[in-house]
Amino acid sequence: MPAQAAPLHVNSTTQIYELNSVVEHLEDKSGQLTINEIRDTESSLQWLISRKSNPNFGFSQSAYWFRITLINQNHAAARLSLVINNPLLDQVTLYKYSSDKLLEAVETGDRKAFSQRPHEHLSFVFPVTVAANEPLTLYIRVSSEGSVQVPLSLYDYDYYHHYIEEQKLIIQGLYFGVLIFMMVFNLFVYFRTKAASHLFFVLYVLSAGLLLAGLNGLGYKYLWQPFTHFQQHHIAIFTALSGIFLSAFIYRFLGLQKKKGSITGRLLLIVIGAFILLLLLSTLIAYHDSVRAALLLLLVPLIIGLYSGLKKWNRDGSANTYFTLAWAQFLIFLLAVLLAKFGIIPRTFLSDDILAWTTLLQVVLFSMALGERMNGERKKRIQAQKQIIRMQGLHKKELELQVKERTAELKLANEQLEVLATTDALTGLYNRRHFLNQAQQLINISIRHQHPIAMVMLDIDHFKEVNDSHGHAAGDHVLRELSKALAMTSRQTDIIGRVGGEEFAILLIDATPSMAGMLAERLRGAVEALTIAFEGTPIPLTISAGICTKTISQKNVPVLDMMRCADSGLYQAKEEGRNRVISKPLPETQQG
């Protein structure tokens, strides 16, 4: 026969009573037993002594009965408060018996209106009066679609109402005050930066805060008290919303929207879709099934967040450190809560109130990670601006050294030297359009200052044979190597452009006809001596060049006239056997 628990002796000096060995419980698998049936067959029922103050039966369809016998040792009646600190229980009924007489039956639970509770507290609080020298037996029937966790406590009436409940409300106020501060702060940051990660973070904090408010009873008391039906489904609804916004926050924080082929990104989008489906079905399926599905599904973004944080541990500085720590501590404690919800481990502080505090810590760490990310991006922008300023200064100084007193006349604006618009993609030299613009400006300046100037047009000999014999990749390689040789052999003041397939033009500033001939011959010799190999095969290379020189007296000379003049010398060099330089003066008739 099962052992019977000893009665609990109450007095006027004790404020908190230990219930571990004085509470008995009975499982009613059918859920149909009445108090009269319990009383009539009491001696034959399998009552078990609850060795824990927080009995936890997990998700169960059974009803559970609890029995406590109280004896008052005082000469006056003792006023007590019996507390069940789980506001999510669907049905809770308390029967008070003195001897064989039913003194009172009180029925409550979160399926009933909040105003029908014996006391409008966050938890289920029952006033209990024990007459002097007269035993009082309490029977408590509990059933719920959710996790059946029944943390029983017994307090002195005045002590509980004037201290415990007041202290609980103060702590809850401070807790939700911090959550609201984090939410408002990041909302302001979102309005300023328009960063989607801050918006999803705010929505996550809001949904998680409402979930926690529902778990501890604040939501039902202050937010949706008139909506009893909503109270039955709010856990699944807010868990799904938290999962949606948490997954979206991870997606944006990790920048997965920029990585179209990311497996992690696709998985998070699938999880978001699953949470949305669960949200739509939450009021249509059984409460315990929707809650289980939401809690298990919530593990997916948590594991993804922790994995992604550990994978990038050494990147992004302290922002990623805060991000990873947030996931690590939250996942550990959430697993404890899940194990408690499923009845695998006892319902203790570690697996109950710790969920609220670990969520708060997670929110704080996330907020710090977002702040560090924002500071890092700001530092990068400042560094980039400094680099641009420094490069602009160096470029300006280089131009001043090259052109000296002619800087005011040249005015080659830095901002117009855009790489894609001014250079040839293959060789890195000026493209035809930019070369013509630059060359015409320099020709005009040389005419104004009466300085000599010359134009060189050169072409690779037998370039078609290179493409036919070795392929176009070899031809491109030859063009690049030739461009490097031209750039290294020319003077810094000369400008070089690729004006055709294998045709190049060079404008020689301050170059007399004899000087232009020497420079062109030096270019030709350098190319002839060049050793070019492609995939292990040597490719010999020579060029033919034509020079056009103008006299100081010639005015208004178009650049195209000088190019045509130099081009005629180039064709003559080709006709005379290639690998040579031919110089010609600009005809007097070719002046604009």
Side-chain angles (χ1 to χ4, degrees):
M1 183 174 179
Q4 184 173 1
L8 175 66
H9 296 273
V10 300
N11 54 63
S12 59
T13 59
T14 303
Q15 295 176 323
I16 304 175
Y17 292 90
E18 177 62 49
L19 301 180
N20 284 2
S21 59
V22 299
V23 178
E24 300 167 282
H25 70 266
L26 170 71
E27 181 180 5
D28 174 13
K29 293 184 179 182
S30 67
Q32 302 299 318
L33 287 176
T34 65
I35 183 62
N36 292 329
E37 291 172 337
I38 293 288
R39 295 273 301 171
D40 292 341
T41 59
E42 196 161 17
S43 59
S44 62
L45 295 175
Q46 297 295 314
W47 290 93
L48 300 175
I49 298 176
S50 298
R51 300 297 179 182
K52 305 168 186 175
S53 59
N54 299 322
N56 181 8
F57 307 100
F59 288 91
S60 174
Q61 300 299 311
S62 301
Y64 289 87
W65 290 82
F66 299 86
R67 182 174 65 183
I68 310 172
T69 300
L70 305 177
I71 296 178
N72 183 5
Q73 297 176 321
N74 299 327
H75 295 293
R79 298 180 67 209
L80 306 174
S81 289
L82 178 68
V83 180
I84 301 178
N85 192 25
N86 181 2
L88 302 180
L89 296 172
D90 291 344
Q91 295 178 330
V92 179
T93 306
L94 172 66
Y95 301 92
K96 303 176 184 178
Y97 276 87
S98 177
S99 298
D100 292 329
K101 181 181 180 182
L102 175 63
L103 301 180
E104 185 181 18
V106 182
E107 187 175 355
T108 185
D110 75 344
R111 286 192 173 183
K112 290 187 173 294
F114 194 88
S115 58
Q116 295 181 9
R117 296 187 179 186
H119 288 288
E120 293 191 7
H121 289 289
L122 303 182
S123 305
F124 299 113
V125 180
F126 302 91
V128 176
T129 301
V130 186
N133 299 315
E134 188 173 338
L136 179 69
T137 302
L138 305 178
Y139 295 88
I140 305 142
R141 183 188 184 277
V142 175
S143 64
S144 185
E145 284 191 36
S147 181
V148 183
Q149 302 174 42
V150 192
L152 289 165
S153 301
L154 188 64
Y155 299 91
D156 173 78
Y157 184 90
D158 292 331
Y159 176 76
Y160 179 80
H161 287 272
H162 296 155
Y163 179 73
I164 299 295
E165 184 71 14
E166 180 179 342
Q167 184 184 58
K168 183 186 295 186
L169 289 174
I170 292 174
I171 293 174
Q172 295 292 350
L174 292 174
Y175 175 86
F176 284 99
V178 174
L179 278 186
I180 292 171
F181 171 78
M182 290 292 176
M183 186 171 60
V184 172
F185 173 77
N186 281 278
L187 188 61
F188 277 118
V189 174
Y190 166 71
F191 286 135
R192 180 179 177 184
T193 64
K194 301 301 180 183
S197 55
H198 285 275
L199 177 61
F200 288 126
F201 176 71
V202 169
L203 293 174
Y204 167 64
V205 175
L206 176 61
S207 55
L210 290 172
L211 172 62
L212 293 169
L215 288 173
N216 61 30
L218 281 171
Y220 196 22
K221 181 175 182 179
Y222 295 108
L223 299 179
W224 54 83
Q225 187 175 134
F227 308 105
T228 305
H229 181 70
F230 180 77
Q231 172 69 8
Q232 304 305 308
H233 302 281
H234 75 280
I235 299 298
I237 292 172
F238 289 133
T239 302
L241 287 173
S242 299
I244 292 170
F245 296 129
L246 183 61
S247 301
F249 167 71
I250 301 171
Y251 188 82
R252 300 293 301 195
F253 185 88
L254 297 177
L256 297 177
Q257 73 279 8
K258 302 175 184 177
K259 304 173 183 177
K260 300 302 181 183
S262 170
I263 296 176
T264 303
R266 292 178 181 176
L267 183 57
L268 281 172
L269 292 177
I270 293 172
V271 170
I272 291 173
F275 271 123
I276 293 174
L277 179 62
L278 184 61
L279 181 64
L280 296 175
L281 297 176
S282 59
T283 59
L284 303 177
I285 59 179
Y287 167 77
H288 59 273
D289 290 334
S290 61
V291 170
R292 286 179 180 180
L295 290 174
L296 292 175
L297 189 58
L298 189 60
L299 289 175
V300 179
L302 298 183
I303 294 172
I304 290 176
L306 180 60
Y307 168 76
S308 300
L310 292 173
K311 187 177 179 181
K312 298 173 64 178
W313 178 260
N314 293 324
R315 308 177 204 166
D316 298 340
S318 53
N320 191 66
T321 301
Y322 293 137
F323 183 78
T324 307
L325 291 176
W327 288 116
Q329 62 87 27
F330 189 77
L331 185 59
I332 291 172
F333 291 115
L334 181 65
L335 285 173
V337 172
L338 289 176
L339 292 175
K341 289 290 184 184
F342 285 93
I344 299 174
I345 63 174
R347 183 183 192 268
T348 63
F349 173 79
L350 180 64
S351 58
D352 184 11
D353 293 338
I354 196 63
L355 177 61
W357 295 107
T358 193
T359 302
L360 180 62
L361 179 58
Q362 182 200 40
V363 167
V364 172
L365 289 172
F366 277 162
S367 187
M368 294 171 69
L370 286 169
E372 286 296 323
R373 171 69 61 82
M374 191 165 57
N375 288 335
E377 291 175 352
R378 182 175 60 85
K379 290 178 181 178
K380 288 179 181 178
R381 287 195 299 270
I382 293 174
Q383 290 174 355
Q385 291 170 354
K386 289 181 178 179
Q387 181 70 6
I388 291 172
I389 293 172
R390 186 178 70 84
M391 293 301 294
Q392 287 177 339
L394 291 175
H395 191 62
K396 182 178 179 182
K397 184 177 180 181
E398 182 181 351
L399 286 177
E400 289 174 351
L401 291 175
Q402 290 178 356
V403 297
K404 298 180 181 178
E405 74 281 353
R406 295 176 302 217
T407 302
E409 296 176 287
L410 292 175
K411 291 184 180 179
L412 300 176
N414 244 3
E415 58 271 18
Q416 296 176 350
L417 300 178
E418 296 179 2
V419 175
L420 294 177
T422 61
T423 60
D424 174 62
L426 178 63
T427 63
L429 301 177
Y430 285 154
N431 57 29
R432 180 182 179 86
R433 178 180 177 183
H434 191 63
F435 175 81
L436 292 176
N437 291 337
Q438 295 294 94
Q440 187 65 68
Q441 292 183 42
L442 293 177
I443 290 171
N444 295 340
I445 292 172
S446 297
I447 292 172
R448 191 181 310 156
H449 291 280
Q450 296 187 342
H451 292 165
I453 196 166
M455 176 75 73
V456 178
M457 295 289 293
L458 60 91
D459 187 272
I460 300 175
D461 296 331
H462 304 296
F463 184 68
K464 184 177 183 302
E465 295 180 4
V466 174
N467 281 330
D468 292 343
S469 301
H470 303 283
H472 288 284
D476 290 345
H477 179 66
V478 167
L479 290 173
R480 284 192 291 267
E481 293 300 315
L482 174 61
S483 300
K484 294 177 185 177
L486 295 179
M488 293 177 61
T489 309
S490 300
R491 302 173 303 171
Q492 287 187 349
T493 54
D494 299 334
I495 63 171
I496 310 172
R498 183 187 178 195
V499 296
E502 67 271 17
E503 193 172 25
F504 298 83
I506 306 174
L507 186 68
L508 306 176
I509 302 171
D510 285 341
T512 62
S514 60
M515 186 183 300
M518 292 174 57
L519 290 172
E521 185 61 36
R522 186 172 66 187
L523 288 173
R524 186 203 62 77
V527 172
E528 185 178 19
L530 193 63
T531 301
I532 299 179
F534 181 76
E535 295 182 350
T537 302
I539 302 175
L541 191 67
T542 61
I543 61 172
S544 298
I547 303 173
C548 177
T549 60
K550 80 169 192 65
T551 63
I552 295 176
S553 62
Q554 290 175 307
K555 308 295 184 183
N556 301 326
V557 178
V559 63
L560 291 176
D561 286 355
M562 291 197 71
M563 289 179 69
R564 279 191 289 269
C565 172
D567 210 31
S568 66
L570 169 61
Y571 279 107
Q572 184 177 338
K574 293 278 190 182
E575 291 173 357
E576 293 182 6
R578 295 183 171 83
N579 193 21
R580 63 194 65 223
V581 177
I582 299 296
S583 179
K584 289 188 175 186
L586 179 68
E588 292 292 336
T589 57
Q590 293 192 20
Q591 302 176 44

